[in-house]
Amino acid sequence: MRSIWNGAISFGLVSIPIKLVNATESHSISFRQIHLEDGGRIRYRKVCELDGEEVPGAEIGKGYEEPDGSIIPITDEDLAQLPIATAKTIEIVSFVPADEIDPLQMDAAYYLAANGATAAKPYTLLREALKRSRRVAIAKYALRGRERLGMLRVVDDVIAMHGLLWPDEIRVPEGVAPEATVQVRDAELDLADALMATLGEVEMSSLRDEYREAVEAMIEAKAGGAFEPPSEAAVEPAGGKVIDLMAALEKSVRAAKASRGAAVEADEADTGEAEVRPIRRKSAAAAPKAVGGKKSTASTAKKKTAAAGGGGTTRKSTSAATKTAASTPRKAATKSTAKTAKTAKAAKTAQSTKTAKTAAATTKKAAPRKRTSA
């Protein structure tokens, strides 16, 4: 990149030779004025007001106009003799946090390139010091015939300088804010927050000038002779239209969510306007399905048991399983309880009979022994 200024950074007693390079460029498409009848260029000619003659650039100088209209000539030699310490020096005057710089002061941006091998070490020193301190340097420099204010900061591995307007060049915004008293409701702020959260962040590198691209495409089509004017798009007039602010915000939030392709639940929760969805309860009709499932399971188990028995037993077991599956769970439970009780009663009776027989046998054996002893 071509340098537009050569000088040095004055960092205390350290001097860093640098070259000033434009960090930005304009991609705006410029047009020439032409004569519509024949397409000829329209040029501005510099003409002297006194004699009406066109004046070449070599004969044009500078002058300051007094309030009465008189002109005081100023030459380049006059300006060069002024004692400006920053004529060829970017003089750092202080280091401040970056958030203390008002963006309104920002002007043109430049890259500062180290000028020569000897500048590499002090250049790197200043760069690393700015990185570690997390501050920016405020400096004064002279460019194009005037002294300017600048801010030095680190961009990647390069020191960049932003031209700054002087504080007295920032106009006070008198009469700019709305004069009427306006009340903003919390609900409106909540919707505005929701819209901001839904739109989210954007990669700055993905943004482009779509209008310039359209103009370039039109010029290319016209040059190739295949240009067709597009159909006129319906444009709604701006201004003079009363809108419902809440409805507009809600519609904007919905449109932003649709463009993102997914609902942002977290964003709705943050705004306190999240949709409340009732919990769906199971209907009573689902209960028989569960009972039927159990019945089918029991039937299947009994059929498998019957199949393992074989022959006539299989037919009998299958019939019993079919009959059991057709009965209700309560009936099956009652039958099973009765069978269990009957079994317990039989076991108790058998135990009592066995005990009685044992006692009788013992008595019978004991009697003869008594008679023999006598």
Side-chain angles (χ1 to χ4, degrees):
M1 291 184 283
R2 186 175 62 89
S3 63
I4 61 173
W5 183 88
N6 291 339
I9 300 175
S10 176
F11 179 33
L13 296 178
V14 179
S15 181
I16 310 173
I18 55 95
K19 297 183 292 184
L20 198 66
V21 179
N22 279 320
T24 62
E25 58 185 0
S26 175
H27 290 167
S28 298
I29 298 174
S30 59
F31 299 101
R32 303 291 185 183
Q33 290 186 331
I34 61 172
H35 188 195
L36 293 178
E37 184 176 344
D38 55 16
R41 281 277 305 276
I42 302 298
R43 298 181 182 274
Y44 292 96
R45 301 182 184 276
K46 298 178 180 180
V47 179
C48 177
E49 291 183 349
L50 297 179
D51 58 17
E53 296 292 332
E54 184 177 354
V55 182
E59 298 180 10
I60 298 176
K62 299 182 182 69
Y64 178 79
E65 185 177 2
E66 292 280 9
D68 60 0
S70 60
I71 300 295
I72 300 177
I74 304 294
T75 65
D76 292 338
E77 289 75 15
D78 295 334
L79 296 174
Q81 292 174 3
L82 294 178
I84 302 177
T86 57
K88 281 293 182 179
T89 305
I90 298 175
E91 182 182 355
I92 296 177
V93 296
S94 67
F95 294 87
V96 299
D99 56 6
E100 289 189 9
I101 305 300
D102 190 342
L104 284 174
Q105 290 185 258
M106 295 290 187
D107 201 359
Y110 308 94
Y111 289 135
L112 304 182
N115 193 4
T118 57
K121 182 64 179 285
Y123 184 96
T124 305
L125 172 65
L126 176 58
R127 182 191 67 196
E128 296 304 314
L130 289 172
K131 279 184 179 180
R132 190 167 70 172
S133 67
R134 297 183 179 179
R135 293 179 172 237
V136 297
I138 303 301
K140 297 165 82 174
Y141 65 102
L143 181 65
R144 298 189 179 98
R146 54 169 293 195
E147 189 173 48
R148 303 169 187 263
L149 193 63
M151 178 191 74
L152 277 62
R153 69 184 184 97
V154 178
V155 177
D156 295 333
D157 290 330
V158 176
I159 299 175
M161 182 173 70
H162 295 268
L164 299 179
L165 299 176
W166 294 97
D168 59 358
E169 292 179 318
I170 305 298
R171 300 176 63 184
V172 179
E174 294 180 353
V176 179
E179 296 180 359
T181 302
V182 179
Q183 296 293 333
V184 179
R185 295 179 295 169
D186 290 341
E188 294 169 339
L189 285 174
D190 290 342
L191 281 173
D193 290 342
L195 179 58
M196 293 167 61
T198 304
L199 291 175
E201 299 179 357
V202 65
E203 289 290 338
M204 296 298 293
S205 59
S206 67
L207 302 178
R208 66 184 193 277
D209 187 349
E210 297 181 0
Y211 177 76
R212 176 175 59 85
E213 293 176 355
V215 173
E216 291 175 346
M218 178 192 66
I219 293 173
E220 184 178 356
K222 272 183 169 282
F227 175 72
E228 294 183 3
S231 58
E232 295 184 1
V235 179
E236 296 183 0
K241 184 178 180 181
V242 179
I243 62 172
D244 184 345
L245 184 57
M246 289 290 290
L249 286 170
E250 290 174 353
K251 186 176 180 180
S252 300
V253 172
R254 289 195 299 268
K257 287 182 179 180
S259 65
R260 292 288 180 180
V264 186
E265 299 292 343
D267 296 335
E268 291 179 344
D270 291 341
T271 61
E273 297 292 332
E275 182 183 357
V276 179
R277 298 180 179 178
I279 300 175
R280 294 183 179 179
R281 301 184 181 277
K282 295 182 179 180
S283 60
K289 183 176 181 180
V291 174
K294 292 179 180 179
K295 187 186 296 183
S296 176
T297 304
S299 176
T300 304
K302 289 189 176 183
K303 287 181 179 180
K304 288 182 178 180
T305 305
T313 307
T314 302
R315 291 196 189 97
K316 186 175 181 180
S317 300
T318 303
S319 177
T322 305
K323 185 176 181 180
T324 303
S327 62
T328 61
R330 183 178 295 178
K331 185 175 179 181
T334 304
K335 185 174 181 180
S336 176
T337 304
K339 185 176 181 181
T340 302
K342 185 176 180 181
T343 304
K345 186 177 180 181
K348 187 176 181 180
T349 304
Q351 183 66 28
S352 300
T353 305
K354 185 176 180 180
T355 303
K357 287 181 178 180
T358 304
T362 303
T363 305
K364 186 176 181 180
K365 289 180 180 181
R369 288 179 183 176
K370 187 176 181 180
R371 287 194 297 268
T372 307
S373 176

